Amino acid sequence: MKQTLTTISVICMIIIIACNIGIYKYIEKLENENCECATEIKVVKFIKPSALIVPVIILIMLLSILSGTPLSNQKCMQNMLGRLINLLVRIYLFAYYVCLIVYFTKLVNRLCDCSKKRERVLLLYPVILMGISIPIAIILVATGALKN
């Protein structure tokens, strides 16, 4: 069962990395097309660089899982500084996910026609992954698959 959970984690992390690269390219495309209603929203200044930073964070987590020891269990993360870094990274990721949803909502509410591209749905990947992972977690807990 542990191997299955590791495989699911790896797949999710690869999807997250791909979505973030897609988000960065989407924002670049909007800027190149001079889509003012999309680029004047203030959170885009946080989202664009974060769309490159988040894949690096996820890649580090992915490599630690593939090494057999999750990042939170690594020796360097067990002291107070490691825990503080872990907390700050999680707060940063949470803020980024909230900003993605806010940005998507503002694009839709402003009726920003130049932002209507297939890639816009990538901004919702945190919601989509959460919507998929919660039922899976409930099923795993209900069937007792997560017991040690």
Side-chain angles (χ1 to χ4, degrees):
M1 188 61 188
K2 186 176 181 181
Q3 181 65 29
T4 304
L5 290 176
T6 301
T7 304
I8 292 170
S9 295
V10 168
I11 291 169
C12 285
M13 289 180 174
I14 291 169
I15 291 170
I16 291 170
I17 291 169
C19 286
N20 280 286
I21 292 169
I23 288 169
Y24 181 82
K25 288 181 177 182
Y26 170 68
I27 293 171
E28 281 279 307
K29 186 187 290 186
L30 293 177
E31 289 174 346
N32 292 337
E33 294 174 357
N34 293 322
C35 181
E36 288 184 26
C37 58
T39 56
E40 68 186 16
I41 299 172
K42 291 182 181 176
V43 293
V44 79
K45 290 182 172 127
F46 174 70
I47 292 172
K48 187 178 176 188
S50 294
L52 295 177
I53 294 169
V54 168
V56 172
I57 293 170
I58 299 299
L59 184 61
I60 292 168
M61 295 168 123
L62 177 63
L63 292 174
S64 74
I65 287 175
L66 292 175
S67 75
T69 307
L71 191 59
S72 59
N73 293 346
Q74 298 284 342
K75 186 177 180 182
C76 63
M77 298 301 282
Q78 294 298 315
N79 60 25
M80 188 62 78
L81 180 61
R83 290 182 182 153
L84 178 63
I85 291 169
N86 189 20
L87 176 66
L88 292 175
V89 167
R90 292 186 185 278
I91 290 170
Y92 176 80
L93 292 173
F94 180 74
Y96 173 64
Y97 297 147
V98 169
C99 287
L100 286 177
I101 296 164
V102 167
Y103 186 55
F104 177 84
T105 305
K106 287 188 177 194
L107 288 175
V108 171
N109 288 343
R110 288 185 178 194
L111 302 174
C112 186
D113 290 333
C114 57
S115 74
K116 288 183 181 176
K117 298 178 180 359
R118 281 184 306 155
E119 298 94 336
R120 186 164 80 175
V121 77
L122 290 175
L123 297 169
L124 292 178
Y125 87 83
V127 175
I128 295 167
L129 283 179
M130 198 58 100
I132 293 169
S133 63
I134 289 175
I136 290 172
I138 290 171
I139 290 168
L140 291 174
V141 168
T143 60
L146 291 180
K147 290 182 182 177
N148 291 331

